[in-house]
Amino acid sequence: PPLAGRPRVPVWLFRQAGRHLPEYAEYKARVGKNFLELLRDPEDVAEVTLQPLRRYSVDAAILFSDILVIPEALGLRVEMPGGRGIQVPQPLQTPSDIATLSAEAWANARTFVERRLCHVLAAVRAILRRMKEDGFGDRPLIGFSAAPWTLLFYMVGGSSTKNCAEGERWLDEHPEASTQLLGLL
């Protein structure tokens, strides 16, 4: 195991540890995909997840993903315009907008995840397979997610710069709808 006999402090290298690497930029240019397009392809996710393991002596792989895959799976459009961060360009405006979210998510969360987030599940399987093939089978794979609160703020605010004020407004003006959406998330 990576920590056996060596006192080391685990270090979290940003949530997508590989995005600063030259091999990430090279790979992205070679496949001709942007960040969001990479997230939709399990083999791309596996490749980018493994890049930091190949370069550094790290103790774990960190799943290459983003918290907004969940709102996207629910039916909201997600974009990443250059230099402005990831955004939801048409956030929920009123409580009635909640009804536009995937009916499947309300009916059966497991089926929803298996159908609408199948690319994430496939990516995890691909990463674990490739970690074993590449000699990293003794390392854990760390996934991450946002709290429902954070997702709600993006879904009603649209971006990290606007979501706090809009999220607070929603909580104040639409407490029942906020509770309903938080329950779904």
Side-chain angles (χ1 to χ4, degrees), residues 3 5 13 15 20 24-27 37 43 51 54 70 95 97 105-106 141-144 151 160 171:
L3 291 177
L13 292 175
R15 61 190 161 123
H20 72 284
Y24 169 75
E26 291 166 10
Y27 182 79
E37 291 167 333
E43 290 303 320
Q51 289 175 351
R54 294 184 195 121
I70 295 168
D97 290 343
W106 297 101
L141 172 62
I142 300 172
F144 62 92
L151 292 175
S160 61
L171 293 171

Side-chain angles (χ1 to χ4, degrees), residues 33-47:
K33 296 179 181 177
N34 66 32
F35 174 78
L36 293 174
E37 291 167 333
L38 290 173
L39 294 181
R40 294 180 188 119
D41 185 317
E43 290 303 320
D44 290 333
V45 172
E47 173 56 30

Side-chain angles (χ1 to χ4, degrees), residues 4 25 34 36 49 52 90 121-122 126 136 140 163 166:
N34 66 32
L36 293 174
T49 298
Q90 297 170 327
L121 300 175
F136 300 112
N163 67 16
E166 281 300 303

Side-chain angles (χ1 to χ4, degrees), residues 4-180:
R6 299 180 302 197
R8 290 181 20 180
V9 176
V11 176
W12 180 274
L13 292 175
F14 193 41
R15 61 190 161 123
Q16 287 93 21
R19 287 174 56 190
H20 72 284
L21 297 176
E23 49 265 48
Y24 169 75
E26 291 166 10
Y27 182 79
K28 197 169 122 175
R30 184 166 43 86
V31 298
K33 296 179 181 177
N34 66 32
F35 174 78
L36 293 174
E37 291 167 333
L38 290 173
L39 294 181
R40 294 180 188 119
D41 185 317
E43 290 303 320
D44 290 333
V45 172
E47 173 56 30
V48 176
T49 298
L50 289 172
Q51 289 175 351
L53 286 177
R54 294 184 195 121
R55 178 175 277 263
Y56 303 117
S57 178
V58 293
D59 299 322
I62 301 170
L63 175 66
F64 176 74
S65 190
D66 191 88
I67 63 172
L68 295 185
V69 298
I70 295 168
E72 185 176 49
L74 287 167
L76 291 176
R77 196 169 91 233
V78 174
E79 295 178 351
M80 190 167 190
R84 295 196 328 230
I86 199 159
Q87 297 180 354
V88 177
Q90 297 170 327
L92 303 175
Q93 300 289 314
T94 67
S96 63
D97 290 343
I98 293 175
T100 66
L101 300 176
S102 172
E104 186 176 39
W106 297 101
N108 186 321
R110 182 183 182 111
T111 301
F112 167 77
V113 168
E114 290 171 351
R115 277 190 17 67
R116 300 298 302 267
L117 293 166
C118 59
H119 60 291
V120 176
L121 300 175
V124 169
R125 289 189 292 275
I127 293 165
L128 293 174
R129 175 183 46 79
R130 289 190 50 193
M131 285 176 69
K132 190 173 184 178
E133 291 169 358
D134 291 0
F136 300 112
D138 63 335
R139 316 277 171 94
L141 172 62
I142 300 172
F144 62 92
S145 180
W149 185 270
T150 304
L151 292 175
L152 178 142
F153 275 38
Y154 265 99
M155 291 171 73
V156 302
S159 72
S160 61
T161 58
K162 295 179 185 173
N163 67 16
C164 191
E166 281 300 303
E168 289 175 3
R169 182 187 67 77
W170 257 71
L171 293 171
D172 288 341
E173 293 179 14
H174 312 297
E176 297 84 16
S178 296
T179 300
Q180 183 184 18

